[in-house]
C-alpha cells in the first residue's frame, strides 16, 4: 500500500494514490533522499535559533509536534481526502515509512500543467503531453522521527512547517545592521522602540535572505502592484527605496511578513493567508 501524501497549506494531509507498479520507485526516492540528508552516524545538533545553513557538518533538529491530521497515518487513509492535481497546490509532498516521515518542499515549479511538455510518442516523434503532472525530485528536505524534525536548511524546512518560534530574536545591534541593507529606508530607533518578539524574529529571518534585493530589482509597477495586492502599507520613495512603516508594529510586521514571503494568496479562493500557520488574513 502506498504511503504517499500531500501536505496542504492549512496543514491538512491528502492521500496521493499511486499505481502499484511505481510505489516502490517513489518510496525509494524518498528513502534514498533521506539517507543523503541524514546519513547514518551524522552528528545531531538541536536548533539554536541560528538560521544559517551548515550543510554537511551535522543534522539540525527541533522537538516538534506534527499537526493533528498526521495521526491518520498510516492506518486511516479511508478518512482522508484524495489529492486533486487540478485543485490542490501542496506546500510539501512526503512519504511515510517505518515510523519516519520524509518531506520534500513543493511549489508551483513542481507543477507541469502550464508548461509545454513534450513526450515521445512514435519513434523519434514528440507530441504534447496533455495530462497534468507534477515532479517528484530525488531529494528530501526534512525528516520527522521520534518527535524530532530534522533539517539542514532552515529556510526550506520553514516552507514545510513554521519554525519561526524557534528562531532567536534580532538584537538591537542586528536591527541597526538591518537598517543598513541597500534598498530600504527604515528608522531603526523606532523599530527598537515598538518591536515585539515577532518583529525581531522576522528581522532576523529577513536579514539572512536576499529577498529585499530581489524585490527592489522588480519593475516599479510590479512592486507597487504587489504591495497593493498583499495589503502592505509601505511606499517607494524618490531614492527608489522601500520605506518601512515604523510607527505601527502591526503594519511593520505585515511588511516584514510580505518581504519574508510569509503571505500567500489561495489558489482556489484568492483569499490572503499567512504562510505556514495559514490563518485567514483580513486585509
Amino acid at each position: 500500500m502506498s504511503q504517499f501524501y500531500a501536505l496542504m497549506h492549512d496543514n491538512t494531509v491528502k492521500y496521493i494514490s499511486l499505481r502499484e507498479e511505481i510505489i516502490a520507485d517513489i518510496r525509494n526516492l524518498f528513502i534514498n533522499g533521506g539517507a543523503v540528508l541524514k546519513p547514518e552516524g551524522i552528528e545531531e545538533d538541536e536548533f539554536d535559533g541560528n538560521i544559517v545553513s551548515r550543510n554537511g557538518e551535522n543534522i539540525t533538529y527541533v522537538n516538534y509536534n506534527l499537526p493533528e491530521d498526521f495521526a491518520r497515518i498510516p492506518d486511516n487513509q479511508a478518512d482522508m481526502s484524495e489529492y486533486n492535481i487540478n485543485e490542490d497546490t501542496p506546500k510539501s509532498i512526503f512519504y511515510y515509512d517505518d515510523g519516519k516521515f520524509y518531506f520534500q518542499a513543493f511549489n508551483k515549479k513542481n507543477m507541469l500543467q502550464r508548461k509545454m511538455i513534450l513526450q515521445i510518442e512514435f519513434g523519434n516523434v514528440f507530441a504534447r503531453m496533455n495530462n497534468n503532472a507534477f515532479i517528484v525530485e530525488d531529494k528530501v528536505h526534512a525528516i520527522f522521527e521520534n518527535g524530532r524534525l530534522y533539517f539542514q536548511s532552515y529556510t526550506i524546512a520553514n516552507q514545510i512547517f513554521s519554525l519561526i518560534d524557534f528562531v532567536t530574536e534580532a538584537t538591537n545591534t542586528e536591527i541597526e545592521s538591518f537598517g543598513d541593507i541597500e534598498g530600504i529606508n527604515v528608522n531603526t530607533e523606532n523599530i527598537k522602540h515598538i518591536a515585539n518578539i515577532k518583529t525581531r524574529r522576522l528581522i532576523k529571518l529577513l536579514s539572512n535572505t536576499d529577498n529585499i534585493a530581489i524585490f527592489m530589482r522588480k519593475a516599479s509597477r510590479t512592486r507597487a502592484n504587489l504591495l497593493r495586492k498583499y495589503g502592505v502599507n509601505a511606499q517607494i520613495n524618490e531614492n527608489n527605496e522601500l520605506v518601512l512603516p515604523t510607527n505601527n508594529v502591526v503594519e511593520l510586521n505585515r511588511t516584514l511578513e510580505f518581504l519574508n514571503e510569509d503571505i500567500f494568496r489561495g489558489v482556489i479562493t484568492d483569499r490572503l493567508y499567512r504562510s505556514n500557520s495559514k490563518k485567514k488574513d483580513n486585509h
Side-chain angles (χ1 to χ4, degrees):
M1 178 182 293
S2 169
Q3 295 291 338
F4 191 32
Y5 303 91
L7 177 62
M8 308 308 295
H9 285 281
D10 61 359
N11 282 333
T12 58
V13 174
K14 294 193 176 185
Y15 175 66
I16 304 177
S17 181
L18 297 175
R19 293 186 63 152
E20 189 68 29
E21 61 265 27
I22 69 166
I23 291 177
D25 291 336
I26 295 295
R27 175 186 178 275
N28 289 338
L29 274 178
F30 282 88
I31 300 299
N32 293 338
V36 172
L37 178 74
K38 186 175 179 287
E40 189 71 27
I42 192 172
E43 181 182 351
E44 298 181 10
D45 285 345
E46 187 168 6
F47 183 57
D48 62 2
N50 182 1
I51 70 172
V52 178
S53 176
R54 294 175 291 174
N55 286 343
E57 294 182 11
N58 52 28
I59 187 74
T60 303
Y61 71 87
V62 295
N63 295 304
Y64 197 80
N65 294 318
L66 291 175
E68 60 180 296
D69 246 22
F70 283 79
R72 305 183 184 197
I73 300 171
D75 299 322
N76 295 313
Q77 293 178 347
D79 296 334
M80 288 185 177
S81 299
E82 192 168 345
Y83 169 69
N84 184 333
I85 194 170
N86 296 313
E87 297 179 359
D88 298 325
T89 304
K91 60 178 177 176
S92 173
I93 53 177
F94 67 94
Y95 202 93
Y96 172 85
D97 183 76
D98 194 25
K100 298 181 182 179
F101 296 85
Y102 300 85
F103 295 94
Q104 184 178 122
F106 192 98
N107 55 46
K108 289 183 178 179
K109 293 180 181 178
N110 293 83
M111 304 297 294
L112 301 179
Q113 74 264 41
R114 294 184 178 180
K115 301 177 182 179
M116 177 69 76
I117 307 297
L118 301 182
Q119 63 181 14
I120 209 150
E121 196 165 84
F122 301 106
N124 285 325
V125 178
F126 288 82
R128 180 172 183 170
M129 185 178 74
N130 293 316
N131 294 324
N132 291 335
F134 66 86
I135 298 170
V136 181
E137 299 183 287
D138 59 347
K139 62 182 66 175
V140 164
H141 297 117
I143 297 172
F144 180 86
E145 61 173 319
N146 299 324
R148 292 180 174 180
L149 182 69
Y150 293 91
F151 55 90
Q152 290 280 9
S153 169
Y154 170 90
T155 302
I156 298 178
N158 190 56
Q159 295 172 23
I160 301 170
F161 295 111
S162 178
L163 301 178
I164 190 171
D165 288 344
F166 297 94
V167 176
T168 53
E169 303 163 32
T171 63
N172 284 345
T173 299
E174 288 171 323
I175 289 175
E176 290 170 2
S177 297
F178 173 72
D180 293 332
I181 294 177
E182 187 175 353
I184 60 172
N185 183 299
V186 55
N187 186 323
T188 56
E189 292 303 315
N190 279 7
I191 289 183
K192 286 186 280 186
H193 179 69
I194 70 171
N196 55 26
I197 293 174
K198 181 177 182 179
T199 311
R200 290 178 178 271
R201 286 174 173 166
L202 287 168
I203 287 174
K204 185 87 166 188
L205 292 175
L206 188 56
S207 297
N208 285 276
T209 74
D210 57 357
N211 287 11
I212 291 174
I214 293 172
F215 176 72
M216 295 307 294
R217 286 199 296 267
K218 295 182 181 295
S220 57
R221 179 176 294 182
T222 300
R223 291 180 306 198
N225 287 341
L226 286 171
L227 293 172
R228 181 172 59 255
K229 179 179 180 180
Y230 289 96
V232 177
N233 184 22
Q235 307 296 324
I236 308 294
N237 67 14
E238 64 276 5
N239 295 321
N240 197 35
E241 297 170 324
L242 180 67
V243 182
L244 272 61
T246 58
N247 293 318
N248 182 298
V249 70
V250 174
E251 292 184 351
L252 174 60
N253 285 352
R254 183 171 185 81
T255 305
L256 295 172
E257 286 176 329
F258 167 76
L259 292 170
N260 271 303
E261 298 185 293
D262 283 341
I263 302 174
F264 86 101
R265 188 172 290 275
V267 175
I268 306 303
T269 63
D270 203 41
R271 292 173 180 162
L272 290 179
Y273 293 84
R274 293 180 183 175
S275 182
N276 291 317
S277 68
K278 297 307 174 281
K279 295 179 180 177
K280 184 178 176 182
D281 192 278
N282 293 321
H283 284 74

